[in-house]
Amino acid sequence: RVIQTIRESKGISRTQLAYLAGLPYPSLAAYETGRRVPSLPAGLRIADALDVHPRLLMEKRNKKNGEQSDEDTTELHVDSQSA
């Protein structure tokens, strides 16, 4: 829910973020609700559209999972499904 939290703090709708990131709305909804993990390219597009460093998305997820935020966690955004 990190994406959703940041998006809402910036006053951006889910529809707007999907458009800005160039992602299908259903994919973004799945990322926000945790049903899917974005691929690395999708994660980078989301971070760019939210105007945040990609690491912020990973650090927040690590803190939720109880991991240290300074670990390399790129694998969190890499999966076999494309955006």
Side-chain angles (χ1 to χ4, degrees), residues 31 36-45 76-79 81-83:
Y31 302 150
R36 286 182 51 197
V37 176
S39 65
L40 183 57
L44 293 173
R45 289 196 301 264
L76 291 175
H77 293 285
V78 177
D79 66 17
Q81 298 174 346
S82 62

Side-chain angles (χ1 to χ4, degrees), residues 23-78:
L23 297 171
Y25 181 91
S27 294
L28 181 62
Y31 302 150
E32 283 196 354
T33 59
R35 290 189 316 254
R36 286 182 51 197
V37 176
S39 65
L40 183 57
L44 293 173
R45 289 196 301 264
I46 292 167
D48 186 51
L50 290 171
D51 195 30
V52 297
H53 193 280
R55 187 124 182 115
L56 178 65
L57 302 178
M58 293 182 274
E59 288 174 354
K60 297 268 187 184
R61 184 175 179 114
N62 285 346
K63 288 178 185 176
K64 179 180 175 185
N65 291 336
E67 299 173 12
Q68 294 183 2
S69 63
D70 60 349
E71 293 179 2
D72 181 10
T73 56
T74 305
E75 73 276 2
L76 291 175
H77 293 285
V78 177

